[in-house]
Amino acid sequence: MTIPIIVILVVLLLLVLSLIKIVPQSNAYVIERLGKYHKTLGAGLNIIIPLIDQVRRKVSLKEQVADFPPQPVITKDNVTMQIDTVVYYRVMDPKMYTYGVENPVFAIENITATTLRNVIGAMELDETLTSRDAINTKMRDAIDEATDPWGIKVNRVELKNIMPPAAIQQAMEKQMKAERERREAILIAEGEKKSAILKAEGEKESAVLRAEAQKIELVKEAEGHSESIRLHKEAEAYGVQKLLDAGLNSDQIVALRSLDSFERAADGKSTKIIIPSEIQGLAGLATGVIEAAKNKSS
């Protein structure tokens, strides 16, 4: 095989290879024919005309992240601070992305900085520090609208850091410290108040329970005393009835009860008691009555 033939084969091989373009997944190739846009190649195997068609730009269709450095911004109340942002975007139209703007990332950075200044300039410092979600939404809408002619879709915009001046940070730290101390004092006072209330309620309930216990004790004591009196009266009534059944009259019953009272008064003690003669005469009568009552009951 001669050298010219080898050269021809190599040239043919290169031509065949230049005909074939394999595009990776999630990518797109923008093709120009004779310097003019021709078509966009999708993922997979593609055929082009060598020397006439050429790849103008290889575009990634994946979501991309652009982390921009801090930008100085001024709030509505004239506080200058540094804010850095992160933009998440995706190329939706490779042709517009290629021909719409010279440097897309640089363009996104500048439009993000100007939009950030506009949004923060309409807000005060405190609102800026507490309204990140609102700022993110406003910036995303504004940047997405501005980048639409470039074939770019902005999905999210995040404020990465908000850095106020050192003096403002110190003042905020002091304010936060004072607020924490105030909350601590309030919690301590509320705890002491609840403790005092619970203690007073406990003492009140204890006093009520003691009063109720004393009341129940007095009621039971009174009921016991009343029952004792009732039983005593019933016993006495039963004894009188037995005497009446034995044939004694009322005067004799009174005399016998008087004799019983003298017996209880002596109570086994060495006490001299003078008994009237009329009562002494009833002693034998009482003995007879008792015996008669026993015989009657038997």
Side-chain angles (χ1 to χ4, degrees), residues 208-227:
V208 170
L209 291 175
R210 286 197 301 268
E212 290 180 353
Q214 292 176 357
K215 177 182 177 182
I216 293 172
E217 183 179 358
L218 291 174
V219 169
K220 288 185 177 180
E221 184 178 354
E223 290 177 350
H225 185 64
S226 175
E227 182 68 15

Side-chain angles (χ1 to χ4, degrees), residues 103-120:
N103 189 335
V105 177
F106 182 73
I108 293 175
E109 180 179 0
N110 281 275
I111 195 68
T112 300
T114 55
T115 304
L116 180 63
R117 291 189 178 97
N118 290 335
V119 173
I120 299 299

Side-chain angles (χ1 to χ4, degrees), residues 17-33:
L17 292 176
S18 62
L19 283 171
I20 301 173
K21 288 295 179 183
I22 300 176
V23 181
Q25 184 66 36
S26 299
N27 284 269
Y29 289 179
V30 177
I31 303 300
E32 290 182 348
R33 176 169 290 179

